[in-house]
Amino acid sequence: MTARLFEPITLPTADGAGLRVRNRAFVAPMCQYAIDAEDGVPTDWHLVHLGAFASGGFGLVVTEATAVEARGRISPRDAGLWNDAQRDAHARIVRFAHARGAAAGVQLAHAGGKGSTYPSLPGRPLGTVPAAERGWPTVSAVDGPVQPGLAPATALDEAGIADVVDAFADAARRADEAGYDVLQIHAAHGYLLHQFLSPLTNTRTDGYGAGEEGRTRLAREVAAAVRKVWPSHKPLGIRISATDWVEGGWDVAASARLARTLADEHGVTWVDVSTGGLQAGAAIPVGPGYQVPYAAHLTAALAGTDTVVSAVGLIEHAAQAETVLATGQAHAVSIGRAALRNPHWATEAAAALGVPAADLPRAEQYWRARW
Ligand SMILES: Cc1cc2nc3c(=O)[nH]c(=O)nc-3n(C[C@H](O)[C@H](O)[C@H](O)COP(=O)(O)O)c2cc1C
């Protein structure tokens, strides 16, 4: 029996052709905080880091949260896609991934009020980077700190929101020019789009708040603007936090409604289902596959559309990933930390699940490793 994890998957596209990806093991987006120059230009680190996953057999390799404008970075050391120098550095990574048979995805992001924070690296402080250390003022849905310990953000007015939407579209155009196959809009983990989605952080009373229609408007406008410039033969996806894990917060029912609208009206055909990240200290029952039930909920809610749903979060073992897919809880899995520990996770999983040696997704240079 063929392992479901290593059956190719087609990510639907607006033109109907679809993008065929060699297997269902995707790399989750992971910030590297590796840009010493603080200019948003991906470095050799990113080439080697992401390139290793492509050599390691993953079907789709997704970049770290890539900021659509400088103030949208989480930390000063994050990648961006707001200028051509950044685009050209991304293009090199994409070329390498393609040469290794992997599809290349970019996660486009705006950190909003969670921007300008210290990189999450050993020995670094927590909280906001001050202006004296090249930090910057942040923006959000409303005035005030998004989380305790962060500097207060300033509420975006309608012109400011339009600028953010334009920045997503510009970055999407550059992502296409860089050769990316897949674009994922980051609407999860408490960053700007999530700050607008959640009633916990969006108490606006204008057309961008005041009920679910208003709170989802920015995400819908971003998807629409990106869709306009992102080619019809390339899949468009979104990453959501399907729950804030807080009573009265953004929840799975609202997530399903948003995903359905994005699929029906804006051609979003891939939903990567994460959770949390908005409210510090939320009680999250972390354990193996703890977010999979949320992916399963979205998979069921989107039945009848052709949307691909991926599950993520402590999916670490081949058999575990296979079970998620074989039981119909998701169509693909995104692998994060297990891939950091072992960039060859996908090849190893394929061998463990009985994929014949000749069909392993490894680089041919590594054939003598004899998985
Ligand atoms: C080092 C690191 C950086 C991360 N950066 C991002 C990011 O840029 N964008 C994002 O959506 N999630 C990010 N995440 C979350 C992961 O994509 C993933 O959802 C999470 O780690 C859970 O999956 P895992 O248990 O397989 O690691 C990051 C996680 C780690 C460990």
Side-chain angles (χ1 to χ4, degrees):
M1 205 175 74
T2 321
R4 183 94 177 122
L5 185 57
F6 290 93
E7 278 173 16
I9 185 167
T10 298
L11 297 177
T13 52
D15 70 355
L19 176 80
R20 191 171 187 273
V21 176
R22 66 179 164 185
N23 62 51
R24 294 156 189 259
F26 299 171
V27 178
M30 284 182 283
C31 284
Q32 296 299 295
Y33 313 107
I35 303 176
D36 296 340
E38 301 188 357
D39 59 3
V41 180
T43 65
D44 287 356
W45 175 266
H46 296 87
L47 176 69
V48 172
H49 160 73
L50 295 166
F53 300 139
S55 306
F58 285 93
L60 172 64
V61 177
V62 182
T63 66
E64 69 182 47
T66 298
V68 299
E69 58 170 330
R71 68 175 176 176
R73 289 171 298 168
I74 301 167
S75 90
R77 296 172 63 89
D78 292 8
L81 203 34
W82 66 84
N83 66 39
D84 291 350
Q86 294 161 350
R87 176 198 62 196
D88 295 346
H90 280 277
R92 182 173 171 232
I93 296 165
V94 173
R95 281 195 298 273
F96 185 87
H98 286 168
R100 298 269 56 89
V106 62
Q107 185 187 52
L108 290 188
H110 195 303
K114 281 178 69 175
S116 190
T117 55
Y118 285 102
S120 177
L121 293 171
R124 307 298 167 99
L126 296 172
T128 302
V129 178
E133 294 174 38
R134 296 174 305 285
W136 56 87
T138 64
V139 293
S140 188
V142 298
D143 288 332
V146 170
Q147 289 181 346
L150 297 183
T154 304
L156 284 166
D157 60 16
E158 293 211 358
I161 290 174
D163 288 344
V164 167
V165 172
D166 287 348
F168 268 95
D170 279 351
R173 178 179 52 76
R174 287 199 173 87
D176 174 43
E177 290 166 2
Y180 282 111
D181 307 292
V182 182
L183 190 157
Q184 181 187 78
I185 297 167
H186 193 356
H189 300 167
Y191 297 110
L192 185 64
L193 298 188
H194 189 180
Q195 289 157 27
F196 272 75
L197 291 176
S198 177
L200 301 177
T201 40
N202 183 349
T203 52
R204 296 172 75 104
T205 53
D206 67 355
Y208 289 92
E212 193 170 308
E213 181 74 10
R215 285 185 281 103
T216 59
R217 185 167 161 197
L218 175 59
R220 289 184 287 111
E221 288 186 356
V222 165
V226 166
R227 185 71 277 175
K228 271 199 195 122
V229 297
W230 187 244
S232 61
H233 65 281
K234 296 189 176 186
L236 175 59
I238 192 162
R239 185 172 238 212
I240 55 166
S241 282
T243 175
D244 286 334
W245 297 104
V246 176
E247 199 58 42
W250 179 253
D251 63 17
V252 70
S255 300
R257 286 189 291 272
L258 175 64
R260 169 69 72 157
T261 303
L262 293 176
D264 291 346
E265 293 174 18
H266 303 298
V268 173
T269 57
W270 170 37
V271 184
D272 197 26
V273 185
S274 188
T275 70
L278 186 72
Q279 189 164 99
I284 306 180
V286 177
Y290 69 106
Q291 297 176 145
V292 172
Y294 291 91
H297 187 107
L298 268 289
T299 302
L302 291 164
T305 71
D306 54 4
T307 309
V308 165
V309 174
S310 51
V312 64
L314 287 178
I315 300 170
E316 308 214 305
H317 306 290
Q320 181 195 8
E322 182 66 11
T323 301
V324 170
L325 304 187
T327 54
Q329 298 182 86
H331 308 103
V333 291
S334 296
I335 307 294
R337 290 161 291 184
L340 292 185
R341 284 195 292 277
N342 175 12
H344 300 281
W345 188 95
T347 297
E348 219 144 271
L353 293 172
V355 172
D359 297 334
L360 291 176
R362 50 136 182 77
E364 66 174 359
Q365 287 78 0
Y366 290 170
W367 72 280
R368 290 178 71 179
R370 296 190 195 288
W371 275 286

